[in-house]
Amino acid sequence: MVLATNVAETSLTVPGINYVIDTGLARISRYSLHSKVQRLPVEPVSQASANQRKGRCGRLAGGVCIRLYSEEDFNARPFYTDPEIRRTNLAAVILRMKFLGLGEPEAFPFLEPPEGKAINEGMKLLSELNALTPDKELTEAGRTMAQLPVDPRHARMLVMAAGESCLRELLIICSGLSIQDPREINAGNRSQAQEQLAEFDHPDSDFLTLANLFTAYEERRQALSQSQLRKYCKSHFLSFMRMREWREVHRQLLLACQQQGMRQSRGAASYEAVQRSIISGSLNQIACLQEGRLYQNSRNRKFTLFPGSVLARKQCKWIVTGELIETGQTFATLAAKIQPQWVEGMALHLVKREYYQPHWSSKRQEVLAYEKVQLYGLTLIENATVSYGAIAPEQARELFIREALAGDTIETRVGFIGRNRALLGELAREEEKIRRPDFYVSEREVFRFYDERLPAEVNSTRSLEQWLRRQGDRKGDCLVMQRQTLLGDKQTGDGAGAYPDQAAVRQNRLAIDYVFDPGSHKDGATLEVPVAILNQLTQADVDWAVPGLLREKCIALLKSLPKSMRKNFIPVSGFVDSILPQMSNADGDLIDALLAQISNHKRLRLSRADFAQADLPRHLQSKIKIIDETGAEQGFGHDVAELQQRFARQSRV
């Protein structure tokens, strides 16, 4: 009894075969244009193949063919099996046609013309391999690839390997991928074979396992006789004939590469160089671990690793695979551990980039963004930090001006920054005094100032400094802010006099601190009083220290009166404006002065008790900070008498 595959249809004649049992089925190699996978589906054979099977019996005498399917089924089948040109990837055919100048594949008079879709897929693969330009012309690499007698993907690996100094390893790998696997492993010898072949295993790459196997074989070939070499192959479960075929293909490839000026490097190549070269020809065979041992490749195809792979029991996040084979399920027979950054470097012409969340980095002094890199829908890199200036210079410039310059987070030694900070700080203090933030200068106006003066190419601290050097203005005088330029029609008026930084008290100059912090107990103006002169201080000294607050204080005091009294001063603000010029610290504290003016203008007899219920806003309350000789705070309050009593002992010292 002989059990044969469909290979025996035309190539096997065995004497004495009188009976043939035909299942009518065969595994036929087909390239899937959709999944980019070389499939081996089980299909009904054609009538021609069935007749060939029938012809295996009766070669020397009469015979019988038993078909396990109906005659109707047989008659419904196509007469002939589809020609291979309609069942395979056409990239190699198209590449050769381009090199020989045979015209466009669509117009070539094929005996069995392939589908237009198959031609388009072949073109796409060649473009992916950088063998064709966008205009479908051969690139320099494409010309070299066309002259190498291997699959275009393997040819691309060899071209890349020559530049990565790993041509020796890739010649072995590509020639090994071009033949049937020489390892003879089956269900009966699997355990013993894997044990013997384990000595060649590379921990992270099935491709380098092939290189190790071939290198070991070559060492034995040169040291052993023919019969000894056969025994070595048998003991290591290697096919002697396939190993010889491997060596012949390797030598053929080596000579072809040498003819193209490609030379092998002397030393051993790095792991990264080898895998980068493999990746260059396998950009549609990159995969990422999903769950368990299931991988997903760049075509959204899911598969598992063949049990014989060195990575089968490992959970590597990223791998590059050999061809995917689809039987009952999809397998990758060969795989290697890789880094996604290597894939990005090999697929610069194919990857899609997405940038999001641009932001100013005070640490790096430039505008950064996060980058997402995808290849055929597979995310290679996510949340990578990249410089945004070269990607979107206009947006980067706007962020640089707003965050670094207007937001004052720039770090540079250029002189204009210090001068502008001093001016803006001075204006900010004046704004705090009048309690109107951004009244004189807002971040919007600072932004406009720089936006009008900086050229389009300035979007980082470094580019700013470089531009100033080219201008011959190392100190940045062209960017110095002037008070008049910033304020325009807005003027600070009598702010310097109404809100002084110091108050004269008993021939002492006492500092006044202004804080704009609604809700805080320090909100408003605070007089800093050394504990040594606290006893000399009067409430009038504190009340009249900040003239700019007098009007609001008087209005607040009058509005605190009962309605029956308050109606005598309507409108309150108008009454205060009429009496304020006549009030002075000579009248005593503020309430005494206010009572005197009420008596003079309204002929009303009010007393301090009438203002006892006044609850002034915190920023209008007179605040005093008691400090020691070092300037450290010793006490805080707004009642002079209470503070004097508390610090009576210290003030007498």
Side-chain angles (χ1 to χ4, degrees):
M1 179 179 289
V2 176
L3 179 64
T5 67
N6 56 324
V7 175
E9 288 177 5
T10 58
S11 61
L12 183 67
T13 298
V14 180
I17 298 296
N18 296 321
Y19 297 91
V20 169
I21 300 176
D22 178 16
T23 63
L25 302 173
R27 285 196 181 276
I28 299 177
S29 177
R30 289 188 183 277
Y31 181 75
S32 171
L33 298 176
H34 174 68
S35 62
K36 310 297 186 291
V37 173
Q38 194 70 35
R39 303 171 62 240
L40 286 172
V42 176
E43 299 180 357
V45 298
S46 65
Q47 292 185 21
S49 292
N51 290 331
Q52 285 286 350
R53 292 181 178 189
K54 179 183 68 174
R56 294 311 93 198
C57 68
R59 306 291 289 181
L60 302 177
V64 176
C65 176
I66 302 172
R67 289 172 174 162
L68 304 181
Y69 48 97
S70 66
E71 185 176 357
E72 291 79 6
D73 185 1
F74 174 82
N75 292 330
R77 296 183 179 191
F79 288 108
Y80 301 101
T81 304
D82 290 341
E84 188 174 0
I85 197 169
R86 293 184 177 180
R87 296 186 284 111
T88 190
N89 190 338
L90 298 180
V93 175
I94 296 171
L95 181 63
R96 194 65 181 167
M97 290 179 66
K98 288 283 185 181
F99 179 74
L100 296 175
L102 299 180
E104 295 302 319
E106 296 88 348
F108 190 79
F110 290 101
L111 294 177
E112 299 284 351
E115 294 182 7
K117 187 175 181 180
I119 294 175
N120 291 336
E121 288 298 320
M123 289 285 194
K124 287 181 181 179
L125 178 57
L126 292 176
S127 297
E128 177 184 295
L129 298 175
N130 247 340
L132 294 181
T133 67
D135 297 328
K136 297 183 179 181
E137 298 296 329
L138 280 179
T139 63
E140 193 63 34
R143 291 187 176 279
T144 304
M145 290 164 58
Q147 299 175 72
L148 298 178
V150 285
D151 184 277
R153 287 170 293 187
H154 300 156
R156 183 71 182 101
M157 296 178 193
L158 293 173
V159 172
M160 178 59 64
E164 293 281 341
S165 301
C166 58
L167 183 58
R168 184 183 71 84
E169 288 79 4
L170 264 296
L171 279 169
I172 296 173
I173 292 170
C174 290
S175 56
L177 295 175
S178 301
I179 65 167
Q180 187 175 348
D181 194 331
R183 292 169 288 191
E184 296 182 322
I185 304 175
N186 53 53
N189 68 5
R190 186 174 304 280
S191 177
Q192 189 177 1
Q194 288 179 342
E195 182 178 349
Q196 284 293 323
L197 292 168
E199 67 177 273
F200 309 121
D201 286 352
H202 187 281
D204 295 324
S205 174
D206 291 320
F207 301 100
L208 286 175
T209 294
L210 288 177
N212 293 340
L213 191 158
F214 185 85
T215 302
Y217 169 81
E218 275 296 287
E219 291 175 355
R220 299 301 189 281
R221 186 187 67 80
Q222 296 175 19
L224 302 177
S225 65
Q226 191 82 342
S227 61
Q228 290 174 325
L229 185 61
R230 286 180 179 273
K231 290 179 181 179
Y232 173 81
C233 289
K234 185 176 181 180
S235 65
H236 285 76
F237 299 89
L238 299 173
S239 168
F240 177 78
M241 296 303 294
R242 291 177 195 160
M243 291 302 298
R244 187 169 68 178
E245 179 187 2
W246 189 353
R247 183 173 178 273
E248 290 172 353
V249 174
H250 174 269
R251 179 168 177 76
Q252 182 183 2
L253 274 182
L254 174 61
L255 293 174
C257 288
Q258 289 176 343
Q259 290 173 359
Q260 300 303 314
M262 301 159 65
R263 296 290 180 265
Q264 299 185 71
S265 56
R266 295 182 179 180
S270 68
Y271 180 84
E272 179 180 343
V274 172
Q275 304 311 323
R276 280 168 54 87
S277 299
I278 293 172
I279 289 169
S280 69
S282 311
L283 291 174
N284 63 350
Q285 293 160 221
I286 308 302
C288 178
L289 184 65
Q290 293 299 301
E291 53 182 344
R293 296 181 181 178
L294 193 65
Y295 285 87
Q296 179 178 318
N297 70 5
S298 54
R299 302 289 185 181
N300 202 29
R301 186 82 172 181
K302 294 184 179 180
F303 64 90
T304 56
L305 293 179
F306 196 73
S309 170
V310 295
L311 301 181
R313 291 188 174 88
K314 300 179 181 180
Q315 291 189 319
C316 300
K317 179 66 174 175
W318 290 94
I319 61 171
V320 59
T321 69
E323 282 194 349
L324 299 182
I325 301 298
E326 187 179 275
T327 53
Q329 63 185 95
T330 306
F331 288 100
T333 55
L334 301 174
K337 180 181 178 181
I338 61 170
Q339 297 296 326
Q341 293 81 1
W342 303 348
V343 182
E344 180 192 12
M346 293 295 100
L348 295 176
H349 59 301
L350 298 174
V351 295
K352 293 183 178 180
R353 302 177 187 274
E354 179 183 341
Y355 303 98
Y356 53 96
Q357 294 183 17
H359 59 280
W360 166 252
S361 170
S362 56
K363 181 179 180 180
R364 290 177 50 173
Q365 290 292 293
E366 63 177 328
V367 178
L368 305 178
Y370 295 110
E371 181 185 46
K372 182 179 181 180
V373 182
Q374 291 183 307
L375 175 64
Y376 297 135
L378 185 65
T379 300
L380 299 176
I381 300 173
E382 195 165 16
N383 292 334
T385 303
V386 295
S387 177
Y388 200 54
I391 299 165
E394 291 185 7
Q395 296 179 37
R397 177 181 180 273
E398 180 180 342
L399 278 171
F400 170 67
I401 296 175
R402 177 173 290 109
E403 301 294 335
L405 294 173
D408 195 22
T409 58
I410 189 172
E411 296 177 6
T412 180
R413 295 183 179 179
V414 182
F416 79 92
I417 288 294
R419 296 166 67 180
N420 289 352
R421 281 173 179 165
L423 175 59
L424 293 174
E426 179 183 335
L427 293 173
R429 286 190 294 274
E430 293 183 16
E431 289 170 343
E432 284 197 339
K433 292 176 182 180
I434 64 174
R435 303 184 63 76
R436 297 180 67 179
D438 296 337
F439 176 70
Y440 295 130
V441 180
S442 65
E443 281 195 13
R444 181 183 301 177
E445 290 165 319
V446 176
F447 176 90
R448 184 165 56 246
F449 174 85
Y450 286 115
D451 185 42
E452 292 172 350
R453 289 161 177 79
L454 291 177
E457 69 268 18
V458 173
N459 52 42
S460 67
T461 302
R462 182 179 180 183
S463 60
L464 171 63
E465 293 171 346
Q466 291 174 341
W467 173 70
L468 289 174
R469 282 197 295 270
R470 291 196 300 269
Q471 296 291 111
D473 184 11
R474 292 180 176 272
K475 293 183 179 180
D477 292 335
C478 63
L479 298 176
V480 173
M481 296 177 177
Q482 302 296 331
R483 189 183 188 96
Q484 182 61 39
T485 303
L486 285 179
L487 297 183
D489 296 334
K490 290 188 255 183
Q491 296 297 324
T492 56
D494 61 348
Y499 298 91
D501 294 323
Q502 292 181 329
V505 177
R506 305 293 185 271
Q507 298 181 347
N508 294 290
R509 307 296 294 180
L510 304 183
I512 303 176
D513 183 33
Y514 296 89
V515 175
F516 180 68
D517 187 10
S520 169
H521 70 285
K522 292 188 176 182
D523 187 31
T526 300
L527 189 67
E528 295 184 355
V529 180
V531 67
I533 67 168
L534 175 59
N535 202 39
Q536 304 174 32
L537 196 67
T538 66
Q539 189 64 45
D541 294 329
V542 179
D543 287 348
W544 297 94
V546 184
L549 297 178
L550 295 178
R551 182 176 183 274
E552 284 188 78
K553 283 185 179 181
C554 290
I555 293 174
L557 287 169
L558 291 174
K559 286 185 176 181
S560 70
L561 292 172
K563 185 176 181 180
S564 58
M565 296 182 185
R566 189 170 65 245
K567 65 182 181 180
N568 295 300
F569 307 104
I570 294 175
V572 175
S573 58
F575 176 71
V576 171
D577 290 338
S578 66
I579 65 172
L580 197 58
Q582 303 168 38
M583 298 170 64
S584 70
N585 57 0
D587 298 325
D589 63 24
L590 184 61
I591 291 180
D592 286 340
L594 183 58
L595 289 171
Q597 295 303 319
I598 290 173
S599 176
N600 291 338
H601 286 76
K602 297 295 184 179
R603 305 300 180 187
L604 296 174
R605 294 292 181 180
L606 301 184
S607 66
R608 297 180 67 91
D610 294 320
F611 295 102
Q613 300 301 317
D615 185 16
L616 296 179
R618 189 163 292 172
H619 73 277
L620 295 179
Q621 295 175 5
S622 302
K623 289 174 282 294
I624 305 164
K625 181 169 74 171
I626 309 302
I627 58 175
D628 59 17
E629 294 178 353
T630 65
E633 182 178 330
Q634 299 298 311
F636 193 89
H638 60 84
D639 190 315
V640 175
E642 189 273 331
L643 288 172
Q644 287 175 338
Q645 184 178 357
R646 193 196 315 172
F647 289 89
R649 182 176 300 173
Q650 292 94 321
S651 63
R652 287 196 297 268
V653 175

